Amino acid sequence: MRHLIDPLDLSKPETEQLLALAERIRSDPAAYQEVAVHKKLATLFYEPSTRTRLSFEAAMLNLGGHVLGFPSEIVSSATKGESVADTIRVISCYADIVAMRHPKEGAPLRASRYAKVPVINAGDGGHQHPTQTLTDLMTIRTRKGRLNGLTIGLCGDLKFGRTVHSLIKTMARYENVRFVLISPEELRVPDYIIKDVLLAGHIPFTETRSLEDAMPSLDILYMTRVQKERFFNEEDYIRLKNSYILTEEKLQKAKPDLAVLHPLPRVNEIALDVDDDPRAAYFEQVQNGVYVRMALMMLLLGLTDPKTEKKVALC
Ligand code: CP
């Protein structure tokens, strides 16, 4: 049985296979509306979410299946002291597949070791967020027509931003990709990503404090929120929260075909006037998030693709 805990749990061909399926779904969603009849998704969210939980639920409903779960730790028996291991053994009796978000890094991995059904990491602490990365990849491929040969700027909270960590790990597998890491000193990409992914893979990257200096070279600009919930003290958060604010004025130095991504939620790091710029792609990301989650659940459950009339399975 396959789980998705880390973005590299999917090989590069499997990632391509998933994106191709998501694109088929996007081109004809009605064809997929009975693919998962009688299947049940459990969403176990120990941490707040709008997009990830609801897009998983929308994805299963779009496939004709059912959803159950809890949106917060406080309405679950975790508040009585139940462990993740016990909870997942219980939920395995109720559902065919599980999406779990947890504030503790590694909690979905632990769950997968006790589960009798596929477990998907829907975000674990400041660690990884693999399904956001699939969303990002689909959006980049749609906008740029490729995943190779891109200069990708990541800006903001690169320390705690789990979407950043997953995106770097995944995009580092593509040819001629270059990263520009734009952050305050305190919010730099963690050393393990620098050493184990970028340096070990001989991936070109630069670090800078200046969004303005980086802007002209970028094909993709991935903005992120400063992750208030991961700071130990509020003073540091207040000092750093306005480090980068993308405006239309700053975009004047950017390429005309730049794509601006953001995993959302946004606080103030992208000014509202950018929303009307054709380079803003963050609400497309939201829509693509539903298609990649439909494709992922089809692959993990081995469902039949009505377009090919064959069962899909990870290769
Ligand atoms: N992108 C993302 O993970 O958003 P939510 O926290 O709302 O799920």
Side-chain angles (χ1 to χ4, degrees), residues 45 48-53 101 122 129 132 162-163 263-265:
F45 276 60
S49 167
T50 295
R51 270 149 299 277
T52 310
R53 183 171 67 84
R101 171 169 290 188
H129 194 343
Q132 179 64 48
R162 57 194 172 199
T163 66
L264 304 178

Side-chain angles (χ1 to χ4, degrees), residues 21-279:
L21 175 57
E23 286 164 3
R24 285 203 297 282
I25 294 170
R26 180 172 62 186
S27 67
D28 188 5
Y32 291 81
Q33 62 193 8
E34 293 183 2
V35 160
V37 171
H38 305 309
K39 295 293 182 193
K40 293 191 284 290
L41 162 71
T43 52
L44 313 184
F45 276 60
Y46 294 80
E47 213 184 40
S49 167
T50 295
R51 270 149 299 277
T52 310
R53 183 171 67 84
L54 294 179
S55 65
F56 263 114
E57 295 189 358
M60 184 49 100
L61 295 172
N62 289 348
L63 293 170
H66 304 276
V67 296
L68 65 159
F70 50 82
S72 154
E73 179 171 4
I74 58 169
V75 295
S76 80
S77 285
T79 52
K80 303 172 200 164
E82 187 166 54
S83 67
V84 161
D86 281 359
T87 300
I88 202 72
R89 281 187 279 216
V90 170
I91 301 298
S92 292
C93 302
Y94 304 153
D96 301 292
I97 190 163
V98 169
M100 174 184 280
R101 171 169 290 188
H102 203 287
K104 279 198 190 139
E105 300 185 358
L109 174 63
R110 184 163 174 74
S112 71
R113 292 186 173 145
Y114 292 89
K116 293 195 170 64
V117 298
V119 174
I120 301 167
N121 178 4
D124 61 328
H127 190 216
Q128 300 292 335
H129 194 343
T131 62
Q132 179 64 48
T133 296
L134 295 171
T135 302
D136 303 338
L137 261 54
M138 185 173 185
T139 307
I140 293 170
R141 200 156 93 154
T142 302
R143 281 285 177 134
K144 308 302 290 184
R146 67 189 195 279
L147 294 171
N148 295 316
L150 295 169
T151 297
I152 303 172
L154 299 120
C155 178
D157 185 348
L158 309 188
K159 178 180 180 182
F160 296 119
R162 57 194 172 199
T163 66
V164 167
H165 309 159
S166 290
L167 186 60
I168 292 174
K169 277 182 102 170
T170 305
M171 286 303 300
R173 297 199 288 196
Y174 288 86
E175 305 296 320
N176 299 319
V177 166
R178 179 176 164 263
F179 294 100
V180 184
L181 308 175
I182 309 155
S183 75
E185 178 64 28
E186 296 94 324
L187 298 178
R188 289 176 58 228
V189 170
D191 283 346
Y192 80 91
I193 299 275
I194 300 270
K195 285 185 190 142
D196 300 347
V197 180
L198 297 175
L199 293 175
H202 306 288
I203 312 295
F205 73 97
T206 53
E207 292 190 275
T208 175
R209 308 286 157 258
S210 170
L211 174 57
E212 287 83 346
D213 289 353
M215 191 71 86
S217 69
L218 304 180
D219 300 304
I220 304 292
L221 173 57
Y222 196 88
M223 294 296 296
T224 62
R225 169 180 73 91
V226 176
Q227 307 268 304
K228 182 180 183 182
E229 64 275 27
R230 315 248 179 256
F231 278 75
F232 289 112
N233 73 69
E234 198 170 355
E235 267 174 36
D236 286 345
Y237 170 71
I238 290 168
R239 184 167 50 79
L240 293 167
K241 73 185 171 83
N242 296 325
S243 297
Y244 301 99
I245 299 177
L246 180 67
T247 60
E248 266 300 285
E249 193 187 338
K250 287 182 189 157
L251 277 173
Q252 282 178 11
K253 284 189 175 178
K255 291 182 182 174
D257 62 346
L258 172 76
V260 180
L261 276 69
H262 190 310
L264 304 178
R266 157 175 62 180
V267 181
N268 66 343
E269 56 283 351
I270 300 181
L272 297 183
D273 61 357
V274 177
D275 295 357
D276 296 325
D277 190 303
R279 291 169 287 192

